[in-house]
Amino acid sequence: MEILQKIVVIDDDPLVARVLRSFIGMEAIEFRTGSDFLQSSANLATPFSFFVDVYLDAEEFGLDLIPTIARLWPHTPVIVMTSSRNDQLIAKALALG
């Protein structure tokens, strides 16, 4: 399995991907919605890592994507991003792996 030297960023704010690209020094494959990511996931090669925002928009929740990511790319790290201080939300993210 070849691992791309790219990260996948699933976040509705394009600035986040720009900052991550700059900080990590890798190209980013960007998705603004979970729906866009899910539609493209079958054609996506194994990335270096995933960065997933918890709150994508009013109707999508980034944590809902983690089981699909874990099933398709079980050895690829997933970094969950949020500014929330909600303990239950953090516990759910940790429980998902």
Side-chain angles (χ1 to χ4, degrees), residues 20-80:
L20 287 170
R21 274 195 317 267
S22 176
F23 183 73
I24 295 171
M26 290 185 173
E27 287 185 53
I29 302 168
E30 302 175 40
F31 297 97
R32 301 280 175 259
T33 68
S35 301
D36 289 345
F37 167 72
L38 291 173
Q39 288 175 351
S40 300
S41 63
N43 300 320
L44 189 62
T46 303
F48 184 79
S49 63
F50 286 91
F51 291 83
V52 180
D53 186 18
V54 171
Y55 297 109
L56 296 173
D57 65 23
E59 297 178 18
E60 292 188 322
F61 197 52
L63 294 182
D64 293 339
L65 302 173
I66 293 176
T68 299
I69 293 170
R71 182 175 43 81
L72 296 174
W73 300 279
H75 304 292
T76 302
V78 177
I79 295 92
V80 175

Side-chain angles (χ1 to χ4, degrees), residues 5 15-16 28 43 57 60 87 89:
Q5 292 304 305
L15 180 60
V16 171
N43 300 320
D57 65 23
E60 292 188 322
D87 291 340
L89 180 67

